[in-house]
C-alpha cells in the first residue's frame, strides 16, 4: 500500500491547478475528487450531478462505473449507499464545472459517457507524477492517501470507515498507522511544569551537588563504584 505525504499531495495538486484550465479544468477537479473524498475510481467515474447536494455539503455514493462492461452498476463495492462530506475546495470546482455540464455524469467525454479510465491513467495521471518528480503511484493510491492523511490529522477510525464505505472495521484498521515524520509533531506533547527558571539549578551545578550527596552505587554483591558501559 502506497500513499502520498502531505507535501507531495500539495505539490501534485498545485501542478494540476495551474496546468489544467479552461476546457481541461475537469482534470484538476477529478484529481480533487479522488484525493479529497477517498472514492474508489469506479465511484468517481460514475458520479452524477443529482448526487451532489451543494446546500447540504454532501455527496451520495450509490453507483459505480464498470469500465470493463462500460455500464453503470447500481451498487458500490460495499453493497450499501453512503453519504460523504463535500470538501469546500471540491465544492467550488464542481459548482464551476456544473455551469458547463452537458451530461448527467460529472466526468464525461464528448459522447456524454464517463471518461475512459485507461486513457486517463496513461495520458494524464502518470504525466502529472512525472512533472512533479514524484514516484509512480496507482490511481487507487489516491484513496490510500486520503485515508492515511485523514488518520494523521486526527480523524476517527469509525468516521473513516463510514466515508470509505467499508463493511468491516478490520479493513479500515490498516490505515491506523502513522509516518515517522508525523510522529515528530508530537515529540513535545508532554509539557511538565517543573518550576520557574530561577528555581532550577544549572545542569552542571545540579550534577556537582548530586555527586556530593549521593551514596556510592553498589552492585548486587555489595561492591562500591559500579560503572555502566555505554556500549552495553
Amino acid at each position: 500500500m502506497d500513499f502520498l505525504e502531505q507535501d507531495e499531495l500539495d505539490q501534485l495538486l498545485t501542478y494540476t491547478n495551474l496546468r489544467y484550465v479552461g476546457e481541461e479544468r475537469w482534470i484538476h477537479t477529478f484529481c480533487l475528487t479522488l484525493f479529497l473524498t477517498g472514492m474508489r475510481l469506479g465511484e468517481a467515474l460514475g458520479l452524477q450531478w443529482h448526487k451532489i447536494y451543494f446546500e447540504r455539503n454532501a455527496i451520495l455514493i450509490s453507483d459505480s462505473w464498470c469500465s470493463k462492461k462500460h455500464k453503470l452498476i447500481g451498487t458500490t463495492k460495499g453493497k450499501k449507499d453512503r453519504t460523504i462530506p463535500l470538501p469546500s475546495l471540491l465544492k467550488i470546482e464542481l459548482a464551476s464545472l456544473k455551469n458547463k455540464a452537458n451530461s448527467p455524469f460529472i466526468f464525461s467525454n464528448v459522447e456524454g459517457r464517463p471518461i475512459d479510465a485507461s486513457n486517463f491513467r496513461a495520458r494524464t495521471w502518470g504525466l502529472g507524477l512525472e512533472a512533479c518528480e514524484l514516484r509512480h503511484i496507482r490511481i487507487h493510491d489516491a484513496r490510500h492517501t486520503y485515508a492515511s492523511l485523514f488518520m494523521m490529522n486526527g480523524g476517527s477510525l469509525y468516521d473513516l470507515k463510514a466515508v470509505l464505505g467499508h463493511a468491516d472495521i478490520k479493513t479500515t484498521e490498516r490505515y491506523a498507522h502513522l509516518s515517522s515524520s508525523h510522529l515528530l509533531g508530537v515529540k513535545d506533547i508532554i509539557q511538565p511544569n517543573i518550576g520557574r527558571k530561577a528555581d532550577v539549578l544549572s545542569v552542571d551545578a545540579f550534577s556537582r551537588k548530586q555527586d556530593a550527596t549521593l551514596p556510592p552505587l553498589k552492585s548486587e554483591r555489595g561492591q562500591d563504584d559500579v560503572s555502566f558501559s555505554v556500549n552495553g
Side-chain angles (χ1 to χ4, degrees):
M1 182 178 69
D2 198 2
F3 65 94
L4 296 182
E5 296 282 356
Q6 184 66 62
D7 60 330
E8 295 174 322
L9 177 60
D10 293 345
Q11 186 178 357
L12 180 59
L13 293 181
T14 296
Y15 167 80
T16 60
N17 181 45
L18 298 176
R19 169 68 174 78
Y20 299 110
V21 295
E23 295 299 320
E24 293 185 320
R25 190 61 179 177
W26 68 267
I27 296 176
H28 174 64
T29 308
F30 189 61
C31 289
L32 285 180
T33 301
L34 294 172
F35 281 111
L36 300 188
T37 69
M39 286 186 203
R40 300 177 179 91
L41 176 59
E43 293 170 347
L45 293 174
L47 198 59
Q48 300 178 68
W49 286 113
H50 71 278
K51 303 294 180 67
I52 307 295
Y53 299 97
F54 288 97
E55 294 183 358
R56 294 169 50 192
N57 295 312
I59 303 174
L60 175 63
I61 307 296
S62 59
D63 303 295
S64 182
W65 179 259
C66 180
S67 296
K68 292 183 178 180
K69 297 181 179 180
H70 301 286
K71 68 176 185 178
L72 195 65
I73 301 175
T75 182
T76 63
K77 185 177 179 181
K79 307 298 183 182
K80 292 182 179 180
D81 295 355
R82 70 184 190 279
T83 301
I84 65 174
L86 173 59
S88 299
L89 286 177
L90 180 58
K91 180 180 181 179
I92 294 172
E93 294 293 337
L94 286 176
S96 177
L97 200 62
K98 192 175 189 301
N99 294 330
K100 307 172 185 177
N102 54 11
S103 168
F105 293 103
I106 296 177
F107 305 108
S108 59
N109 56 25
V110 293
E111 299 176 350
R113 296 169 65 83
I115 61 172
D116 186 276
S118 296
N119 286 340
F120 178 82
R121 185 180 292 109
R123 300 177 182 179
T124 307
W125 182 258
L127 178 64
L129 294 169
E130 182 179 348
C132 295
E133 299 182 348
L134 296 173
R135 67 190 179 284
H136 177 76
I137 62 171
R138 305 167 303 161
I139 293 179
H140 189 71
D141 290 328
R143 180 172 166 88
H144 295 323
T145 297
Y146 172 86
S148 298
L149 295 181
F150 183 96
M151 294 304 299
M152 288 180 183
N153 284 280
S156 160
L157 198 63
Y158 287 92
D159 287 342
L160 181 60
K161 174 183 178 294
V163 172
L164 295 182
H166 289 158
D168 192 335
I169 188 64
K170 292 182 179 180
T171 306
T172 317
E173 286 176 348
R174 63 176 172 165
Y175 296 111
H177 63 280
L178 301 173
S179 70
S180 57
S181 59
H182 175 72
L183 290 176
L184 294 177
V186 298
K187 64 182 180 66
D188 292 323
I189 194 169
I190 305 300
Q191 293 286 346
N193 181 10
I194 58 175
R196 297 172 299 173
K197 290 184 178 180
D199 295 335
V200 181
L201 295 172
S202 69
V203 174
D204 290 339
F206 180 78
S207 298
R208 290 194 298 270
K209 184 177 180 180
Q210 290 294 91
D211 291 343
T213 58
L214 287 176
L217 295 173
K218 294 181 179 293
S219 69
E220 293 180 354
R221 293 175 296 178
Q223 296 175 332
D224 294 343
D225 299 326
V226 176
S227 61
F228 297 90
S229 171
V230 174
N231 295 324

